[in-house]
Amino acid sequence: AAVAVIKGAAATSLGLRLGRTTEAVKPLEGLSGRLTLNSVPSFPSKPQRTQFTKLVEEKVAADAPFRVFRVPKAVAKELYGDVFCDAQRADEDLAEELQLVGLDDWCLQELQESVVKSTALLGRVELTSFKHKNEKAQFEVCFKVHPASSDYPALAEVTETPPFPSMAELFPSGEKQ
């Protein structure tokens, strides 16, 4: 779930598309991880990194609900194009049924893991370091999640039957597509 918050903040602060810009997600020890984004030609400026961090903090504080739904691959592609797709994963490698996680007007991505009910349950998402690889136009964001509670968090309900949210419902402003 933290990756969805971070990806949406990156798309806004760095002007990225959502689809096909996630190069890799690597879970690390202790509720930490690394998100690698492509299509970032240079190391983001200090104001961009500051805005990025602020957007992550604001989205977590907003207690925004996660939408989680299982949808057939063909329906997902028809409804959302490649907005939820990672860069390295070919369409034929996608499962026939996908679990998509959305934050309205923020992010849509495929995630197979359980997802917390809302962003506030993440507690605090700390962006611990940034690295840029010029030759690949890749931007790495390392992060750590500091849960608000040690109790097991409430999980988002998974919708398994139509109607699935439309692109206009997920992104009413029309941005980030």
Side-chain angles (χ1 to χ4, degrees):
V3 171
V5 172
I6 295 167
K7 177 74 185 265
T12 299
S13 62
L14 306 178
L16 298 176
R17 290 183 70 241
L18 285 173
R20 305 273 184 209
T21 53
T22 299
E23 197 67 34
V25 178
K26 180 172 176 90
L28 303 171
E29 286 185 33
L31 296 177
S32 296
R34 180 175 59 234
L35 171 64
T36 304
L37 302 168
N38 63 32
S39 304
V40 183
S42 60
F43 190 76
S45 67
K46 178 71 172 163
Q48 285 175 311
R49 295 190 316 273
T50 299
Q51 180 190 28
F52 182 16
T53 300
K54 183 178 179 204
L55 289 170
V56 169
E57 292 168 356
E58 289 173 351
K59 186 54 80 174
V60 171
D63 198 20
F66 285 100
R67 288 189 187 207
V68 182
F69 46 100
R70 287 198 183 98
V71 58
K73 175 172 64 172
V75 173
K77 293 297 287 180
E78 181 181 322
L79 287 172
Y80 314 117
D82 70 351
V83 168
F84 64 89
C85 296
D86 290 344
Q88 297 298 321
R89 199 147 170 215
D91 287 351
E92 56 270 9
D93 293 338
L94 294 171
E96 287 306 311
E97 183 176 84
L98 305 173
Q99 178 173 288
L100 301 182
V101 175
L103 282 170
D104 289 356
D105 237 7
W106 196 254
C107 187
L108 177 67
Q109 69 182 91
E110 181 192 13
L111 275 179
Q112 294 306 314
E113 298 82 20
S114 295
V115 176
V116 295
K117 190 172 184 171
S118 68
T119 58
L121 294 172
L122 293 169
R124 183 170 63 91
V125 178
E126 176 186 9
L127 304 182
T128 58
S129 68
F130 302 111
K131 181 179 176 183
H132 188 267
K133 296 180 180 178
N134 284 327
E135 67 282 355
K136 294 182 177 181
Q138 291 180 345
F139 182 52
E140 292 181 354
V141 180
C142 291
F143 62 93
K144 181 169 179 59
V145 177
H146 302 273
S149 168
S150 60
D151 295 337
Y152 195 76
L155 299 178
E157 287 187 33
V158 179
T159 302
E160 299 196 29
T161 57
F164 302 110
S166 68
M167 186 68 99
E169 287 176 279
L170 290 170
F171 296 98
S173 69
E175 292 181 21
K176 296 187 185 171
Q177 298 173 29

